[in-house]
Structures are given as C-alpha cells and as structure tokens.
Amino acid sequence: MFVYYRFLANGNSFSSLHYEFLLVVSTIARKVSQTCDLIWQRLHEVVMPEPKAKDWIQIAEGFHVNANFPTCIGARDGKHIRVKKLPHSGSRYYNYKQYFSVVLMALADSTYKLRIVDIGAYGSTAYTRIFSSSNMCARLQVNQLALTEPRLLPGSAGAPAPFVIVADEGFALTPHVMRPFLRCNLDDSRHKFIYRLSRARQYVECAFGILTHKWRALLSAIQMSPVEMSEHLEVRVQEARPNFTTMFGFGIRTRPELYPAPEPH
C-alpha cells in the first residue's frame, strides 16, 4: 500500500518507485492495478451510491443557494487525463490539446462532489459525442434518473421548469442540458443568465482542480492499459477524502471500446 499511495500522491513513475522500494517494475505495475480493482469492487456501492429523488432535490437546492441557479442538478464537464501513447492506437487518444489522453466526464454538485462519472472515452472524441453515448444521457432521455416533476421557478408564474444540467458550449442544447447563449447581440437578461450559468458551472471545474491537486499522479502521463486506466481514475474519484474535498457519486463504469474510433477524413 505504501507503493500504491506513493504512486498516486506524487505521480512517480514505476521506474523511480523501483529504486525507492527495491521492487521489480512489473511487480509494482501489477500491484497498483490489482489494488485499484479491489478498492473499486469493495467500496463502489458504499462510497458512490446512485442518487435518489431526494438527493437530486437537495442538489438543486444547493445550486439555488450557492449559485442562484434553481432547478440545477449538476454541472457537467470533461477533463483530459494524460496517458502514454498505447501501441497500435493511432490517433484515437490524441486530443485537441496535442497530447494523448482519456476523458474523465463528471457531474458535480455545489459542494464539489462528483455525483456521476463516465470514464474511458478516447481523447479525440468530442464532449458532445461522449455525453450522447453515455449511460446518463440514455437514462435522462427515458427518465430513469429518479428526477422529480418540473417545478415553478422562484418568483415565476409561468410554466414549470424541468431539472437541468449546466454545461459549456461544448455540449449540445437539450431539454435537460443548459448551455450559454451565443455571445452576440445579448441583452441584459441574457447576460445575467450567462453569468448565473457560468457561476454554477465553475463547481465542476473547481472539483477537477481539487482532484488533481490531491492526486498528483493525474498530472503526469499514466502508464497503464485502457482498462487499468479506467480503474485507476475510478478509484481516484471515490478515494478523495472529506477533509480535503468530498467527491462521492454514482460511478458509471465505461471502457474506451464503447466509443468507436473517429472516421478518417
């Protein structure tokens, strides 16, 4: 476990850990992978339960109080986790930032908790495509996330508003996903809306920053296979401690093979 946590906390390579603990590199790699898988199997259902209807209401109240954005059940965004280029992978993991990565897609609440995570998409895949291929999107479309009925906005007498997710311009606009207006010909009301949406969306960006600050291994290229990388990221999300940041949530276990490679131009 000392080797495991040294790898996570400092981001040391397996070769440097070999000299520090006098263990074979292959042994270190195998033990780290086995420990990640065991922690996920034992603690997933305990630490990352699926949100219920009362949980979504509590999350929406938190966004209303902290970000002045009612009926919001989470802020969604993706983070590219740097990886070593895998053999025979071509440009599948090569992202627009010009390095190889897998995508950690997450939904955060107003207390910086990651409630839903989708891990393992190719770095070259657009966020909209990742979200549309995720289990969360499929369950939103058929109303299987235990969301309550639409409710009136505070101080409004109009039609009830559904519970929504806030995101940036990289996501498509849907009945359950709100994104900013195009930044042209904006009146005061739209400026206020963009301000409030950006204020709510910053929670997921701060959550990513807290996560990488705690686990420095996420700042360096991960030397693992696609399956091991997904297990590694799943454990990082669920192991973050409450005294530093509280990141519990419902983990949707995914794999890169679920996302087809981009078609060549």
Side-chain angles (χ1 to χ4, degrees):
M1 292 298 291
F2 287 109
V3 178
Y4 171 71
Y5 280 111
R6 179 60 63 89
F7 167 69
L8 299 180
N10 296 340
N12 293 348
S13 65
F14 293 155
S15 298
S16 63
L17 293 175
H18 157 68
Y19 290 105
E20 185 173 355
F21 292 94
L22 301 180
L23 294 175
V24 181
V25 173
S26 59
T27 301
I28 295 175
R30 183 176 68 256
K31 293 300 182 182
V32 169
S33 177
Q34 291 175 349
T35 305
C36 286
D37 188 55
L38 184 61
I39 291 176
W40 175 261
Q41 292 178 8
R42 297 294 180 87
L43 298 181
H44 172 217
E45 298 298 333
V46 177
V47 179
M48 305 183 70
E50 180 177 357
K52 306 299 182 183
K54 62 178 182 180
D55 298 321
W56 294 123
I57 295 176
Q58 183 179 3
I59 293 172
E61 292 176 351
F63 274 103
H64 186 197
V65 173
N66 298 324
N68 201 14
F69 201 103
T71 69
C72 175
I73 60 171
R76 189 169 186 85
D77 201 359
K79 179 174 179 57
H80 288 273
I81 305 299
R82 189 185 297 267
V83 299
K84 292 286 187 180
K85 184 182 183 301
L86 300 174
H88 313 295
S89 62
S91 60
R92 295 178 182 178
Y93 294 95
Y94 196 72
N95 61 33
Y96 69 96
K97 298 181 180 181
Q98 300 184 354
Y99 61 83
F100 295 93
S101 67
V102 295
V103 177
L104 166 61
M105 186 74 64
L107 182 76
D109 64 12
S110 62
T111 59
Y112 310 105
K113 297 178 183 178
L114 300 187
R115 294 289 183 163
I116 295 180
V117 293
D118 187 291
I119 304 169
Y122 295 131
S124 61
T125 309
Y127 286 168
T128 298
R129 188 177 181 184
I130 297 173
F131 179 64
S132 62
S133 303
S134 67
N135 294 337
M136 181 182 180
C137 181
R139 297 180 65 178
L140 269 176
Q141 294 175 352
V142 296
N143 196 22
Q144 290 183 351
L145 282 183
L147 297 178
T148 59
E149 295 297 325
R151 57 176 57 183
L152 292 175
L153 295 176
S156 173
F163 288 93
V164 298
I165 297 169
V166 295
D168 60 14
E169 295 87 347
F171 293 85
L173 182 66
T174 69
H176 288 288
V177 177
M178 298 294 292
R179 50 168 286 174
F181 288 104
L182 296 178
R183 299 180 182 274
C184 58
N185 300 325
L186 298 177
D187 54 19
D188 290 341
S189 62
R190 293 193 173 189
H191 272 295
K192 292 179 180 178
F193 173 81
I194 293 177
Y195 167 75
R196 292 190 181 184
L197 187 144
S198 300
R199 183 178 175 184
R201 192 176 59 82
Q202 71 177 353
Y203 286 98
V204 66
E205 297 180 355
C206 292
F208 285 147
I210 295 170
L211 182 66
T212 55
H213 186 80
K214 181 174 180 63
W215 301 116
R216 310 298 289 182
L218 299 180
L219 298 178
S220 57
I222 300 176
Q223 307 175 50
M224 294 181 176
S225 67
V227 173
E228 292 172 338
M229 282 186 290
S230 296
E231 293 170 351
H232 171 76
L233 294 175
E234 288 161 349
V235 174
R236 298 295 63 69
V237 169
Q238 75 174 4
E239 273 197 343
R241 300 301 185 214
N243 60 352
F244 192 91
T245 177
T246 309
M247 293 185 178
F248 303 143
F250 168 44
I252 299 179
R253 195 176 180 89
T254 60
R255 291 290 176 262
E257 56 266 20
L258 298 180
Y259 302 91
E263 297 180 359
H265 295 290

